[in-house]
Amino acid sequence: MPLWVKVSNDAVVQCWDTPPPAGEDGWRDAIEVRPPVVQYREQYGSHHFDLTKTPVEIVWPVEAVSIEDRKADMLTYAEFLSKKGEPGTAEADFDPVAAQALYITRVAAIEAAQTHDDLDAVP
């Protein structure tokens, strides 16, 4: 997707995904630099602009996801599934007793996990 940034006093003041007005000073072409991330183990951090490059690079650094942060997300999702059912489950087919049993199993596995590999194995 084409991007444009408006630069003023060596700082980006606007970033657009539509062409800027013709003849308006300060606009430069830009591209996003997004290295690949490992799903559930890495995420993008806060971006920064590299104004020394042409086009300007919008750089997204990769940061590790901590085990504790991932556990918190998984516990929240497990609770949601216990109330709404697994993805693709019709409301009429939802079994709250089975869902609660699976929730208890998931919570125990999540809380016992020490590594990302352990978390990958949670049912």
Side-chain angles (χ1 to χ4, degrees):
M1 164 174 57
L3 296 167
W4 294 267
V5 293
K6 185 169 187 171
V7 179
S8 177
N9 296 322
D10 292 324
V12 172
V13 293
Q14 292 186 56
C15 183
W16 288 9
D17 63 358
T18 57
E24 190 173 310
D25 290 338
W27 287 98
R28 295 175 54 188
D29 291 338
I31 59 169
E32 286 190 289
V33 178
R34 287 183 180 257
V37 295
V38 177
Q39 188 175 24
Y40 306 123
R41 297 175 185 219
E42 296 176 326
Q43 63 190 8
Y44 292 113
S46 298
H47 68 278
H48 66 274
F49 297 93
D50 187 344
L51 299 177
T52 66
K53 304 280 179 76
T54 301
V56 170
E57 290 185 354
I58 305 167
V59 181
W60 293 88
V62 175
E63 299 174 346
V65 173
S66 74
I67 300 295
E68 292 308 313
D69 285 348
R70 187 170 173 203
K71 282 183 172 185
D73 289 345
M74 290 179 73
L75 288 168
T76 299
Y77 189 57
E79 182 179 8
F80 170 80
L81 293 176
S82 74
K83 296 175 182 173
K84 299 295 182 183
E86 298 296 309
T89 302
E91 189 174 334
D93 297 331
F94 178 66
D95 178 353
V97 174
Q100 186 63 28
L102 183 53
Y103 173 70
I104 291 167
T105 300
R106 281 186 173 136
V107 168
I110 293 166
E111 289 176 347
Q114 299 295 312
T115 67
H116 281 290
D117 288 338
D118 294 341
L119 291 173
D120 290 344
V122 172

